[in-house]
Amino acid sequence: RRITVVDMPGLLDTRLSPEETLFLRDRCLSLSDPGPHALLLVVKVGPFSDKDRRAADRVRELFGEEALRFTVVLFTRGDDLEQQSLEEFVRGNRDLQLLVQQCGGRCHLFNNKSRSDRAQVRELLNLMDSLVRENGSYSMPETCCMKNERDTGSGEGKFKRSTVSDTHEMVNPSLRIVLFGRSGAGKMFSGNTILGREELRPVAPVCDRRLGDVSGQLVSVVELPALFNTGLSEEEVRRETHRCVSLSDPGVHAFLLVIPAGPLTDEDKGELDLFLDIFSKRVTDYIIVLFTSLKKKRKDQFLKKNTDSQQLVQRCGGRYLVFSTRKRGAQVSQLLQKIDSMVKENRPDCYTADMYLQAQLDRRDRRLQQDLEEKDRRIRELEEKIKNISPGSAGKEEDQECVRMVLIGKTGSGKSASGNTILGEKRFASTVSSGSVTSICQKGRGKVAGRPVTVVDTPGLFDTTLSTVEIQEEIAKCISLSAPGPHVFILVIQVGRFTREERDTVELIKQTFGEKAKDYTLILFTRGDELKDKTIDRYIQMGTPELQRLVRACGDRYHVFNNNDTGNCTQVTELLEKIDSLVRENGGGFYTSQMFQEAEAAIRQEQERILREREEEIQRQEEEMRNRFMKEAEELRRRLEEEAQRQEEERKRKEEELRLREERQEEREREEKRKREEEESRRREVEVKEKREWAERMEQVQEENRKQQQRWEEEMKKAQARREEEDRQRRAEEDRALREREEKVREAETRKMKELEERMRKQQQE
């Protein structure tokens, strides 16, 4: 058997406000939706304190007097009873007796230390089964549980009885609604108004589903958290939107866009745009706009004054309703009528999970297409910039004997200062800064030792304010500024720490100007004053292997500058001599635009190859995502079919259980009727037999009484005769005794007379 156990926090927790307590009560009932079969009032074995008594009163206060019909008192710490039984323990306390009596005499004992003893659990389940049979119910809906709800009329007034078929309807609501909108729009209060509740719940970034009876039909309301500009990741947004559809399986009848009545905010518009992007524009057939918190203005006046709201309503199919979250009444019925009318118009009548999955596939296709279009646009821009660079277009007037230099280096390496040192005057802006002072290519001209010199300063490599592509595009312009082509690329590196960016500089030059560019590259170390007594050769020999490899990659061509010693012309003259030597090594030529174009062509080919590989990778990823989504869709369909099959099997099982229960009930009733008839027949036979036996016993008693009467009469006669004989004998004895006494008296009198006569005679004689 599948069992759901909900642990509710302590009812006497003084830290909880009344609103929090009511929320926890409603949360407890929603977690046991469609309603708990039993309430277990847990009481610890021991003295029944005032706190325990208040807990019982609290149950009645929160759940109503009717809840006691569904309550079982569960005593814990049963090992403390030792040899005493639970009945003896309850009888020993009048308060406990009263509590158990109020709960219909239902109580049970648990020993939580002995978890392996499953018999105590089975006994509790049997007790709850008996409780369900007594109440004729299989659930207690959460909508009718609190006394104050009964008093205010917001609830049904008592725990409703339901059948197995009612429970099945609880699992499959006849109307499924999803509320969506920005944070603070009033989705929770709108859901309360629809379901006829007064719940206060904390805002959570997850979907929440509630069920309730509205106008005689079971309604499911799913609250979708705000999606736009809330910090949720793409995966979290996808998960919650998919969950809102799954919670409304087999489909959503209506999406209610909740918007406070008033001017639309960017969040309102962004929420709808993102919602339509996720669910596809097809979802507009299932959307109704719900304007909330409108006070006294008429709805037509409200829309006439708000153009944005009119456009939004048109985007949602023209369906809207002005909704007050403080009143219920006719507006809920009006909303249900609008939803019913919309459902009848739609085919299919609800937004299904398959439609959602198709919308996700279409969304992925749109994003991939946008990425490809963006890459194509960037390629066309690069091709256009390359075409604009023509050999010698910017420098036909340049003297062929002019020494043309291009300064390249990391931001802050001293390129601009070195250019000023070479030209002998401040032609380029040079300051101490964390960012690149030069953001575009700049050209400066001058004479050094009587020779014309052109210096082109470029933006700093690895600049934090510009992307690598933007820097490369700008540096590429140095070719036209140094037309017909630079004699040397001067890679400027600061004496001191050799960073990873500077190690990658040569590779970046190759990527920008091609493989031949390294033959025209010379390294210029700045801040030569920091070498002190050390020569630049010694500095390189003592440097890192990466620095030495960089110098070798540039043909061991290097020089050092102290830009603080601008009056030292020797360092500039020596640089020109090294450049002349480089030019001689390159056959007296310079880096031409044709070389750059060849490099650009090679780079473009490489970019095209990378782009093709990227497109193939995107196509592969797209195919993988499509396959994955198809698998997920198939898996979801399979789960939905399994769930539908499971629910159908569950429905059939419950119907079969109900049928069997009804058959057993009918059989029990027939058996009880037969037993009653047999009992009545036996009772009548017993009565007849008892009457007969009673009559016989009465006759026997009367005969015995008659005989006894005769015996008594005979005994009475005998006793009378004995008494008469005794009386005669007694009288004879009395007569005899009387005669004897009289004789004795006469003798005494005679004797006295004689004595008297004798005394008289003697007196006379005397």
Side-chain angles (χ1 to χ4, degrees), residues 444-488:
R445 298 176 185 174
K447 286 190 177 183
V448 178
R451 297 177 61 181
V453 175
T454 297
V455 178
V456 178
D457 189 13
T458 62
L461 300 176
F462 310 105
D463 189 280
T464 55
T465 61
L466 298 174
S467 68
T468 302
V469 174
E470 292 172 333
I471 292 174
Q472 286 180 304
E473 292 175 358
E474 186 61 34
I475 290 177
K477 296 179 181 179
C478 71
I479 301 300
S480 61
L481 292 176
S482 59
H487 291 95
V488 62

Side-chain angles (χ1 to χ4, degrees), residues 347-370:
R347 289 294 180 273
D349 61 354
C350 59
Y351 187 91
T352 63
D354 289 342
M355 297 166 66
Y356 173 81
L357 289 176
Q358 185 60 46
Q360 300 312 298
L361 292 175
D362 295 341
R363 189 182 185 216
R364 292 296 177 94
D365 292 342
R366 289 197 303 273
R367 289 192 171 186
L368 290 173
Q369 185 63 31
Q370 291 172 358

Side-chain angles (χ1 to χ4, degrees), residues 566-699:
T566 56
N568 184 4
C569 296
T570 304
Q571 58 183 354
V572 180
T573 303
E574 291 176 353
L575 173 64
L576 288 177
E577 292 175 354
K578 291 182 179 181
I579 293 174
D580 291 339
S581 175
L582 180 150
V583 171
R584 286 192 297 272
E585 291 177 1
N586 291 323
F590 48 84
Y591 184 86
T592 65
S593 295
Q594 183 178 359
M595 296 179 183
F596 180 67
Q597 289 175 358
E598 292 174 355
E600 284 291 333
I603 293 171
R604 189 162 57 250
Q605 290 176 0
E606 181 65 15
Q607 289 177 338
E608 290 175 355
R609 184 189 64 80
I610 295 174
L611 182 59
R612 285 195 302 271
E613 293 179 353
R614 180 58 180 165
E615 288 177 351
E616 292 174 357
E617 177 67 17
I618 291 174
Q619 291 177 358
R620 185 184 61 80
Q621 292 178 357
E622 180 182 359
E623 186 64 25
E624 289 180 355
M625 285 188 292
R626 186 178 296 276
N627 292 335
R628 186 171 67 253
F629 268 91
M630 291 303 295
K631 289 181 180 179
E632 291 179 359
E634 186 64 29
E635 178 66 18
L636 180 58
R637 290 191 189 96
R638 184 186 61 80
R639 288 200 302 267
L640 291 176
E641 290 175 357
E642 290 179 354
E643 180 66 18
Q645 183 179 0
R646 186 190 64 78
Q647 291 183 357
E648 181 65 19
E649 292 175 353
E650 182 72 10
R651 183 185 63 80
K652 291 180 179 179
R653 184 185 65 80
K654 290 181 177 180
E655 289 179 351
E656 182 66 17
E657 288 181 357
L658 180 60
R659 185 184 62 79
L660 293 176
R661 189 175 290 109
E662 291 175 349
E663 290 179 354
R664 288 195 295 269
Q665 181 67 23
E666 292 176 357
E667 182 65 24
R668 283 196 298 269
E669 291 177 355
R670 288 194 297 270
E671 183 66 19
E672 290 176 356
K673 182 178 179 180
R674 184 184 60 81
K675 290 180 179 180
R676 286 196 300 270
E677 291 175 353
E678 293 178 353
E679 184 67 24
E680 182 68 19
S681 177
R682 286 195 298 269
R683 186 182 61 78
R684 287 194 297 268
E685 292 176 357
V686 169
E687 287 180 354
V688 172
K689 183 178 180 181
E690 287 179 350
K691 287 180 180 180
R692 187 169 56 251
E693 292 177 351
W694 181 78
E696 292 176 353
R697 285 198 300 271
M698 288 298 295
E699 291 177 357

Side-chain angles (χ1 to χ4, degrees), residues 73-96:
V73 182
L74 180 61
F75 293 96
T76 60
R77 297 177 65 173
D79 49 315
D80 290 350
L81 287 179
E82 297 179 351
Q83 301 299 322
Q84 188 179 15
S85 67
L86 178 60
E87 289 75 12
E88 293 173 344
F89 170 70
V90 173
R91 284 199 300 268
N93 189 305
R94 294 186 59 188
D95 293 329
L96 277 180

